[in-house]
Amino acid sequence: MTSDMGLRERKKAATRAALSRAAWSLLLTQGLDAATPEAIAEAADVSPRTFRNYFSSREEAIVDELAQRYLSLADTIRTRPADEPVWDSLAAVLPSVVVEMAGDRDRLAVLMRVVRESPALRAQILLVTEHVSEVMTKIIADRTGTDAQRDLAPRLLAGTVGTALATSVDFWARSGTDIPLPDLVRDCLTQLRAGLPVGAAAPAA
């Protein structure tokens, strides 16, 4: 039974990923208007009903692959040594996985442009951000022996992590900088860990 359930879950995950990739492809090649639920389903070789079983909207499908990458990042932090200081865990994990998480630079820039133009996509990104922040808050609370429901610190640090990643990725995707993305993340974490010193030099373009 366990083996059957595992196979079933893997098939569901594969279908979900195929739908999200199809949504991405349509967005990149034909624009947001072309990425209808029906077109996404056809591109993934499934029925529109199957699409609706996985996603409530095209925006959710478009953002889902990125959401799964962020959740995978959270899982990686969870598996770090229990006695490792949480800042050390973040410094060890975030720069090393951020490139895979962000994906292709040009594709990400397209998504950012479309998000700026689409209130529905902005809303979906916000939902994903809130969910990932809740997951990170719980992980940080567990690692630091704090209470996510009563203590401000794990929630604040989770939000800080999200800000560091978002700031680094946005700067990398839109500024044309030659600084590698992992180095941008390291710089963000270093400045935040130091208390964000006033007058700290910005990364060179």
Side-chain angles (χ1 to χ4, degrees), residues 88-105:
D88 290 347
S89 297
L90 295 173
V93 171
L94 298 188
S96 64
V97 303
V98 69
V99 173
E100 181 179 354
M101 186 186 69
D104 179 79
R105 189 177 192 171

Side-chain angles (χ1 to χ4, degrees), residues 132-142 148 151 154-156 158-159:
V132 173
S133 181
E134 288 296 325
V135 173
M136 284 295 300
T137 296
K138 179 64 167 58
I139 291 171
I140 291 170
D142 290 344
D151 298 326
R155 190 170 300 277
L156 179 60

Side-chain angles (χ1 to χ4, degrees), residues 7-169:
L7 177 60
R8 205 153 40 236
E9 291 304 314
R10 287 196 296 272
K11 287 182 176 179
K12 288 172 63 176
T15 300
R16 186 181 187 94
L19 284 164
S20 187
R21 285 194 299 269
W24 257 105
S25 180
L26 285 167
L27 171 68
L28 292 170
T29 60
Q30 301 181 44
L32 180 59
D33 289 343
T36 64
E38 293 76 16
I40 295 168
E42 181 178 359
D45 198 25
V46 299
S47 69
R49 179 178 179 180
T50 297
F51 175 92
R52 290 190 292 271
N53 287 339
Y54 286 88
F55 299 112
S56 62
S57 67
R58 65 181 180 180
E59 288 80 14
E60 185 181 2
I62 290 167
V63 173
D64 187 67
E65 184 174 356
L66 188 61
Q68 298 307 316
R69 292 175 187 173
Y70 273 89
L71 291 173
S72 178
L73 164 65
D75 286 339
T76 302
I77 293 172
R78 182 186 283 115
T79 61
R80 295 294 297 180
D83 60 347
E84 183 177 61
V86 67
W87 273 110
D88 290 347
S89 297
L90 295 173
V93 171
L94 298 188
S96 64
V97 303
V98 69
V99 173
E100 181 179 354
M101 186 186 69
D104 179 79
R105 189 177 192 171
D106 292 338
R107 285 163 58 101
L108 186 63
V110 170
L111 176 62
M112 288 180 171
R113 175 180 57 77
V114 176
V115 166
R116 291 194 299 272
E117 299 169 355
S118 169
L121 263 177
R122 286 201 301 273
Q124 188 61 44
I125 290 284
L126 179 59
L127 288 174
V128 168
T129 301
E130 290 177 348
H131 177 58
V132 173
S133 181
E134 288 296 325
V135 173
M136 284 295 300
T137 296
K138 179 64 167 58
I139 291 171
I140 291 170
D142 290 344
R143 294 183 59 84
T144 57
T146 53
D147 186 338
Q149 299 302 317
R150 297 177 179 272
D151 298 326
L152 181 62
R155 190 170 300 277
L156 179 60
L157 184 50
T160 299
V161 170
T163 298
L165 288 173
T167 300
S168 302
V169 170

